[in-house]
């Protein structure tokens, strides 16, 4: 129940929001622009290397051709010629020397100042655990020097009291190696020997291009060169100190020349960007391709450049123009043909969405068909051209659908839009515009008053024959007198008409379900008295069934007189009282035993039961999928009229001041369509006509006139567009039918037959007059040869 309320709220919000139509318009334009953007390709055929040209192609104007391969080759060459950038850290040597100097000097100062004297002085020159004092000195020295020192090395270092000669030797050797240059990855460096490298000083930002980098050390090379480079400094030192110095230098060596990848890539990008494209100019009129010539690589480059030029121009100008044309067409069509169209009254936004869906479907179908036709005829199989295949596109099925569900006028207006859209998809071809415009108009025309499924096939056949005539005229107009071309055009045009009929037949049920529309075909199916709900009505509420059938006949005849939809009116008349199925015995036409259940109920309760049949009818209409038009008529066929009998009865029982008139009115709404108004009038007049004692034509005419005046004066017909002229014609039609129903018959001599035949005109809600009862009594007393119990049980 909650979901139904949410659904109803969404539907009502959609239909009542005036901004929806602008969203629909925007969506159509966006989809159309997208379709054109995808489709905007040059008219020229796509060639491949080695293909044979089927026609001459000349340059329509001057344009530049970009040789992408040559340009790419030059850019790769420019990128390959950019030297790799290496950063030289000139400050690293000074930083490491300062680190060594600081570590040795501060430790010596600490030893001199006695900083470590308070600790245990016991030490051993052997490989035994260090004393607390030595451990403290070791940790402090390692922190300052920047790397761990093995115990054996530290013992020797401590033994020599961190002498300055060791410090000086380490600094001297380290300076020489770093000044020579240490590179992190020498193998990668050697690959650049042909073009050199850019050596950039990090500190000064100075750059030099050098090719002499064989003498530079790698990390391992530098470590292996320590003894060789430090030989002059190590020769005067004892062996123990030499090993000490060698170890410290090897630990301190770091690369001061490193690859700068980011800077190298930036310079490569800059060099590539500076490399201009390789261009050469094509002059207007230059022959790009000759018929029968084999397509070369250079010709392919020129053709692609021409395609790019055409594509750019069309995207920048034609798409904008096409979208503006489409916008004008849609707005003008809406203002002139759709905005105030009587067929668009009620659910305006939903019907607008349906029209938009049909238009979008049509030009998407044209787009897909355009692509397929070009693909299928690429090899010119059987001399079939793409223009011939395009005549079979069933875009005119859109006009058929619109005529089927709305009106011919709306369908013709939309056929213009569909034809223009299709012509734009096919490169603004005039013959395509004329063909699909005339074909769409005639397709809509032949779909009027479609009440049988076979009408789709008949309309498709007629449309196919008309398309043959149309394409023949267009072929002559284009001065194409080839019999083969005319034959294929006729074949595909005829197929297009047949496919259009079949496609419309297939789409119709889908549209009915999606948009909850009702076609005449569906209404004819509902008009069958074998429908489940009508069969229930006939069995469970025969009086209501008989009343509904008569109302259906009355409104059908009246609708024909005033220009309403007779079929819709008749079906609405059949189903307007189906809500009485829930409580049939509470309605007098179904009380065959003469017992009126309302006699034991209060007037207010009786009023609630009568009003409930409207709501119950709406629920049953949804249950049996009767359609929105019928459900709306059920809700509107009593409008907001007053249940006067029970209202007067309540006033007599409780007093006029204590009774609210609103409690005895139907909830409405008032009739919104001519068909709903007809059902209201027919319902009132048919029911009242049963109460006439002697239903002569004059009495029937007076009854109809008074009842219709009362309904009109009560304002129940304010929203259904029935004019006084319409009411006059309706009254005449009702009089004719009611006179036919209540006409007098010949008085036959058999008293039994005549007596039985005058029971208040078949009414079951009144007691029979005394004369009729006397006749029945007489018939019972007469001879025994008559069927006395016929029809009694």
């Amino acid at each position: 129940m909650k979901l139904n309320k949410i659904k109803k709220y969404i539907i009502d919000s959609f239909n009542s929001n005036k901004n929806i139509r602008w969203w629909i318009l925007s969506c159509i334009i966006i989809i159309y622009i997208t379709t054109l953007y995808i489709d905007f390709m040059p008219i020229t055929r796509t060639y491949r290397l080695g293909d044979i040209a089927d026609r001459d192609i000349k340059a329509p104007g001057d344009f530049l051709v970009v040789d992408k391969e040559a340009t790419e080759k030059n850019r790769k060459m420019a990128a390959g010629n950019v030297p790799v950038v290496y950063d030289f850290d000139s400050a690293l040597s000074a930083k490491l020397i300062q680190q060594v100097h600081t570590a040795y000097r501060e430790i010596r100062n600490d030893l001199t100042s006695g900083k470590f004297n308070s600790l245990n002085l016991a030490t051993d020159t052997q490989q035994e655990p260090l004393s607390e004092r030595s451990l403290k000195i070791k940790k402090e020295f390692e922190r300052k020097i920047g790397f761990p020192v093995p115990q054996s090395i530290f013992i020797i270092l401590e033994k020599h009291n961190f002498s300055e000669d060791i410090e000086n030797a380490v600094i001297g050797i380290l300076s020489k190696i770093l000044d020579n240059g240490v590179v992190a990855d020498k193998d990668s460096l050697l690959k650049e020997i042909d073009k050199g490298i850019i050596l950039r000083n990090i500190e000064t930002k100075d750059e030099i291009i050098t090719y002499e980098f064989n003498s530079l050390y790698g990390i391992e090379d530098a470590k292996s060169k320590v003894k060789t480079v430090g030989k002059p400094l190590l020769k005067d030192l004892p062996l123990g100190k030499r090993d000490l110095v060698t170890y410290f230098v090897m630990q301190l060596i770091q690369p001061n020349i490193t690859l700068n990848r980011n800077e190298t890539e930036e310079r490569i990008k800059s060099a590539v960007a500076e490399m201009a494209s390789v261009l050469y100019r094509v002059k207007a009129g230059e022959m790009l391709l000759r018929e029968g010539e084999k397509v070369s690589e250079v010709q392919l480059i020129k053709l692609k450049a021409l395609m790019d030029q055409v594509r750019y121009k069309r995207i920048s100008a034609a798409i904008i123009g096409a979208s503006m044309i489409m916008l004008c067409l849609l707005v003008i069509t809406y203002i002139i043909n759709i905005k105030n169209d009587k067929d668009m009254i009620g659910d305006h936004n939903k019907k607008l969405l349906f029209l938009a869906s049909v238009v979008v479907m049509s030009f998407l179908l044209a787009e897909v068909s355009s692509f397929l036709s070009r693909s299928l005829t690429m090899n010119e199989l059987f001399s079939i051209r793409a223009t011939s295949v395009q005549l079979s596109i069933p875009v005119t099925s859109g006009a058929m659908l619109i005529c089927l569900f709305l009106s011919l006028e709306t369908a013709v207006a939309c056929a213009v839009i569909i034809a223009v859209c299709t012509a734009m998809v096919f490169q603004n071809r005039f013959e395509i515009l004329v063909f699909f415009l005339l074909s769409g108009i005639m397709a809509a025309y032949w779909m009027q008053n479609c009440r049988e499924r076979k009408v789709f096939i008949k309309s498709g056949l007629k449309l196919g024959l008309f398309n043959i005539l149309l394409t023949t005229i267009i072929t002559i107009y284009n001065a194409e007198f080839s019999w083969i071309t005319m034959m294929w055009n006729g074949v595909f045009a005829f197929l297009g008409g047949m496919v259009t009929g079949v496609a419309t037949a297939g789409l119709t049920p889908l549209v009915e379900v999606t948009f909850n529309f009702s076609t005449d075909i569906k209404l004819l199916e509902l008009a069958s008295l074998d429908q489940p709900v009508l069969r229930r009505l006939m069995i469970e509420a025969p009086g209501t069934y008989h009343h509904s059938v008569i109302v259906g006949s009355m409104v059908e005849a009246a609708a024909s007189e005033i220009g309403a939809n007779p079929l819709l009116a008749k079906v609405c008349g059949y189903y307007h009282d189906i809500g009485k199925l829930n409580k049939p015995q509470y309605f007098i036409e179904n009380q065959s035993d003469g017992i009126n259940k309302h006699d034991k109920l209060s007037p207010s309760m009786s009023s609630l039961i009568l009003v409930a049949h409207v709501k119950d009818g709406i629920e049953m209409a949804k249950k049996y999928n009767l359609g929105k038009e019928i459900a709306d008529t059920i809700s509107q066929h009593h409008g907001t009229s007053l249940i006067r009998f029970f209202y007067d009865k309540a006033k007599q029982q409780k007093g006029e001041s204590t009774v609210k008139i609103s409690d005895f009115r139907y909830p409405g709404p008032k009739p919104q369509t001519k068909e709903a108004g007809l059902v209201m009038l027919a319902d009132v007049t048919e029911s009242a006509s049963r109460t006439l004692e002697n239903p002569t034509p004059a009495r029937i005419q007076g009854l109809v006139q008074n009842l219709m005046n009362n309904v009109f004066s009560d304002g129940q017909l304010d929203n259904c567009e029935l004019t006084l002229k319409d009411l006059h014609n309706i009254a005449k039609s009702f009089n004719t039918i009611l006179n036919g129903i209540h006409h007098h018959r010949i008085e036959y001599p058999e008293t039994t037959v005549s007596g039985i035949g005058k029971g208040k005109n078949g009414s079951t809600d009144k007691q029979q007059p005394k004369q009729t009862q006397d006749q029945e009594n007489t018939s019972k007393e007469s001879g025994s040869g008559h069927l006395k119990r016929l029809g009694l049980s």
Side-chain angles (χ1 to χ4, degrees):
M1 192 69 179
K2 188 176 181 181
L3 290 175
N4 290 335
K5 289 183 178 179
I6 295 174
K7 181 180 178 182
K8 185 176 184 302
Y9 173 77
I10 293 173
I11 293 174
D12 291 342
S13 300
F14 178 83
N15 287 325
S16 61
N17 192 341
K18 292 186 177 181
N19 293 325
I20 292 293
R21 62 199 66 179
W22 295 109
W23 284 105
I24 293 174
L25 177 64
S26 302
C27 289
I28 295 176
I29 297 298
I30 291 172
I31 295 173
Y32 185 62
I33 291 175
T34 304
T35 304
L36 288 182
Y37 179 83
I38 294 173
D39 183 65
F40 268 6
M41 297 289 291
I43 303 173
T44 54
R45 173 185 160 186
T46 301
Y47 288 97
R48 297 180 181 178
L49 186 64
D51 288 349
I52 304 300
D54 58 354
R55 62 189 179 91
D56 294 341
I57 300 177
K58 291 183 179 181
D62 293 350
F63 63 92
L64 296 175
V65 178
V66 179
D67 190 339
K68 291 187 176 180
E69 289 189 7
T71 301
E72 188 65 23
K73 183 178 180 180
N74 289 348
R75 288 175 177 173
K76 286 183 178 179
M77 186 179 298
N81 291 333
V82 175
V84 180
V85 179
Y86 279 82
D87 289 336
F88 174 59
D89 190 356
S90 58
L92 180 62
S93 177
K95 176 183 175 183
L96 293 176
I97 290 172
Q98 182 63 35
Q99 181 178 327
V100 173
H101 180 67
T102 300
Y104 276 86
R105 183 185 60 189
E106 291 184 356
I107 289 296
R108 286 196 301 269
N109 290 339
D110 291 341
L111 291 173
T112 303
S113 64
K115 177 179 179 181
F116 303 105
N117 289 343
S118 60
L119 301 175
N120 187 357
L121 299 179
T123 185
D124 193 345
T125 59
Q126 304 301 321
Q127 294 293 329
E128 294 183 4
L130 297 176
S131 64
E132 184 180 352
R133 175 177 180 275
S134 297
L135 284 174
K136 184 70 174 178
I137 296 172
K138 183 174 181 294
K139 289 180 181 180
E140 185 68 17
F141 181 73
E142 287 175 343
R143 185 181 67 79
K144 296 179 183 296
I145 199 68
F147 55 86
V149 179
Q151 182 176 328
S152 58
I153 299 294
F154 179 77
I155 291 172
I156 298 173
L157 187 63
E158 187 180 24
K159 178 180 177 182
H160 293 286
N161 294 319
F162 301 90
S163 62
E164 292 186 16
D165 55 348
I166 296 175
E167 174 190 346
N168 294 333
V170 170
I171 291 174
I173 297 172
L174 184 61
S175 298
K176 288 184 178 181
I177 291 176
L178 292 178
D179 290 344
N180 184 78
V182 180
V183 65
D185 186 0
K186 189 173 181 180
D187 292 338
S188 299
L189 181 68
L190 292 175
K191 294 178 182 179
E192 310 296 333
I193 194 168
D194 293 333
K195 60 181 180 181
I197 63 170
I198 296 176
L199 199 59
R200 186 176 69 166
N201 192 308
I202 295 177
E203 297 296 323
T204 63
K205 305 298 181 183
D206 294 334
E207 297 181 1
I208 59 170
I209 298 179
T210 178
Y211 299 89
E212 302 295 331
F213 41 78
N214 283 326
S215 59
L216 298 177
Y217 298 140
I219 294 292
E220 298 301 323
D221 291 340
K223 291 180 178 181
S224 64
K225 295 287 185 179
V226 171
K227 291 184 178 180
T228 303
V229 173
K231 189 174 182 179
L233 298 174
L234 297 175
K235 64 181 181 178
D236 295 332
L237 296 178
L239 182 60
K241 287 187 177 182
R242 292 177 189 175
D243 294 337
L244 194 68
V245 170
T246 301
Y247 172 79
F248 273 93
V249 173
M250 292 178 67
Q251 294 298 316
L252 289 166
I253 289 176
Q254 297 179 26
N256 58 355
I257 298 176
T258 55
L259 173 65
N260 191 329
R261 295 184 183 275
N262 291 335
E263 182 64 24
T264 302
E265 290 177 359
E266 289 296 327
R267 297 194 182 198
I268 290 174
K269 290 180 181 178
S270 178
V272 170
E274 291 176 358
M275 180 60 63
S277 301
V278 178
L279 302 172
Y280 51 92
R281 183 179 296 277
V282 175
K283 304 293 288 184
E286 181 179 338
M287 187 66 71
L288 303 180
L289 198 61
R290 296 184 182 276
E291 183 179 0
E293 191 175 34
K294 184 178 289 187
V295 180
S296 66
E297 187 173 352
V298 175
Q299 289 171 328
L300 278 180
I301 294 173
K302 292 181 180 181
L303 289 176
K304 191 172 187 313
L306 176 61
M307 292 168 64
D308 292 339
Q309 293 285 331
V310 173
R311 182 186 291 113
Y312 171 77
K313 291 179 180 178
R314 297 185 72 172
I315 289 175
S316 61
I319 283 184
I320 297 175
S323 62
M324 294 177 68
I325 292 173
M326 184 66 173
L327 179 62
C328 291
L329 267 176
L330 291 172
V331 172
I332 292 172
T333 303
Y334 177 76
I335 293 173
I336 296 177
N337 295 93
I338 298 176
K339 184 177 181 181
N340 299 314
D341 189 351
K342 61 183 178 66
D343 292 292
M344 295 292 290
I345 296 174
D347 299 334
H348 185 87
N349 287 342
K350 184 182 74 171
K351 294 176 180 177
L352 204 58
L353 180 62
F354 162 67
L355 292 176
S357 301
V358 172
V359 172
V360 170
M361 177 198 73
S362 298
F363 61 71
L364 287 179
L365 181 62
E367 169 62 33
V368 173
S369 302
S370 172
F371 173 77
L372 291 177
S373 63
R374 292 197 301 264
S375 301
L376 292 174
T377 58
M378 187 67 72
N379 297 323
E380 298 186 354
L381 184 63
F382 304 119
S383 301
I384 301 176
R385 300 191 305 175
T387 53
S388 299
V389 178
Q390 290 160 4
L391 298 175
S392 64
I393 303 171
V395 295
T396 50
S397 61
M400 277 188 167
L401 285 171
I402 295 171
C403 181
L404 186 63
F405 289 102
L406 295 179
S407 65
L408 176 62
E409 293 76 11
T410 306
V412 170
C414 292
V416 176
I417 298 175
I418 292 171
V420 172
C421 293
T422 306
M424 288 184 179
V425 169
F426 291 106
Q427 289 84 41
N428 302 323
R429 287 165 49 196
F430 174 73
E431 64 272 17
I432 289 291
L433 172 63
V434 173
F435 178 82
F436 285 109
L437 175 60
L438 299 180
S439 179
I441 293 173
M442 294 307 299
Y445 175 77
W446 280 315
M447 281 304 294
Q448 293 182 100
N449 304 319
C450 176
R451 295 192 173 188
E452 296 178 294
R453 300 289 179 185
K454 63 183 179 181
V455 173
F456 293 106
I457 305 303
K458 289 183 178 180
S459 298
L461 180 61
K462 292 177 184 178
L463 185 62
L465 296 174
F466 176 74
N467 286 349
I468 293 176
L469 174 63
L470 198 58
T471 190
T472 302
I473 296 172
I474 292 174
T475 304
I476 296 173
Y477 169 79
N478 290 330
E480 297 180 1
F481 298 105
S482 170
W483 288 104
I484 295 178
T485 300
M486 295 182 68
M487 180 191 71
W488 284 121
N489 286 351
V491 169
F492 282 104
F494 179 78
L495 287 176
M498 294 299 298
V499 171
T500 298
V502 174
T504 306
L507 290 172
T508 297
L510 181 62
V511 174
E512 287 179 341
V513 173
T514 304
F515 294 96
N516 197 22
F517 288 158
S518 296
T519 61
D520 286 350
I521 297 173
K522 181 179 179 180
L523 292 176
L524 279 172
E525 293 172 353
L526 293 175
S528 171
L529 298 180
D530 286 330
Q531 287 291 326
V533 65
L534 293 181
R535 290 185 64 82
R536 279 191 60 195
L537 199 66
M538 179 176 62
I539 296 170
E540 300 175 27
T544 301
Y545 172 80
H546 182 258
H547 161 73
S548 298
V549 171
I550 295 176
V551 168
S553 301
M554 292 173 65
V555 295
E556 181 181 23
S560 300
E561 296 293 329
I562 65 172
N565 188 335
L567 181 57
L568 176 60
K570 180 174 74 171
V571 175
C572 290
Y574 282 174
Y575 291 91
H576 77 282
D577 268 345
I578 58 174
K580 293 181 179 180
L581 277 170
N582 285 353
K583 296 182 179 67
Q585 294 304 315
Y586 283 88
F587 299 90
I588 196 166
E589 67 266 23
N590 300 315
Q591 297 171 359
S592 58
D593 53 3
I595 300 174
N596 193 338
K597 292 182 177 293
H598 290 283
D599 294 340
K600 298 181 181 181
L601 299 177
S602 65
S604 59
M605 181 58 68
S606 297
S607 175
L608 289 175
I609 293 174
L610 295 183
V611 169
H613 90 276
V614 174
K615 182 180 178 182
D616 294 340
I618 296 172
E619 295 299 326
M620 295 185 72
K622 293 179 181 178
K623 176 182 177 182
Y624 288 96
N625 296 319
L626 301 182
K628 188 175 185 303
E629 291 87 351
I630 297 175
D632 288 344
T633 302
I634 293 173
S635 67
Q636 299 166 14
H637 80 278
H638 281 298
T640 59
S641 59
L642 178 66
I643 307 174
R644 184 165 295 279
F645 177 82
F646 291 110
Y647 174 63
D648 293 338
K649 184 178 179 182
K651 287 195 299 181
Q652 291 174 4
Q653 292 180 357
K654 298 183 179 180
E656 185 172 356
S657 60
T658 60
V659 178
K660 294 182 180 179
I661 192 172
S662 59
D663 293 338
F664 294 88
R665 282 192 178 274
Y666 286 94
K670 296 177 181 180
Q672 305 292 310
T673 63
K674 289 184 176 182
E675 290 79 12
L678 284 172
V679 172
M680 170 182 274
L681 295 172
D683 184 39
V684 172
T685 54
E686 197 282 330
S687 300
S689 68
R690 294 170 179 263
T691 65
L692 289 175
E693 289 283 343
N694 185 18
T696 62
R699 289 187 176 184
I700 291 174
Q701 182 178 355
L703 176 69
V704 171
Q705 181 178 349
N706 290 333
L707 291 174
M708 291 181 64
N709 282 335
N710 292 337
V711 173
F712 178 77
S713 301
D714 194 28
Q716 300 300 320
L717 304 178
D718 291 349
N719 301 329
C720 62
E721 297 185 352
L722 289 174
T723 64
L724 291 176
K725 181 180 179 181
D726 291 337
L727 294 178
H728 176 68
N729 291 330
I730 293 169
K732 287 172 59 178
S733 177
F734 285 0
N735 288 333
T736 302
I737 294 178
L738 291 175
N739 282 319
I741 294 173
H742 299 290
H743 69 279
H744 290 278
R745 295 182 177 272
I746 298 174
E747 191 77 23
Y748 290 98
E750 289 84 3
T751 56
T752 303
V753 176
S754 61
I756 295 173
K758 292 185 178 180
K760 264 303 190 197
N761 298 304
S763 177
T764 60
D765 59 345
K766 295 287 185 181
Q767 188 180 12
Q768 291 177 319
K770 187 175 185 304
Q771 180 184 359
T772 306
Q773 293 178 1
D774 293 339
Q775 289 176 350
E776 288 182 352
N777 294 333
T778 304
S779 67
K780 290 179 181 179
E781 296 171 359
S782 60
S784 60
H786 297 282
L787 299 174
K788 299 178 181 180
R789 298 183 56 81
L790 184 62
L792 298 180
S793 62

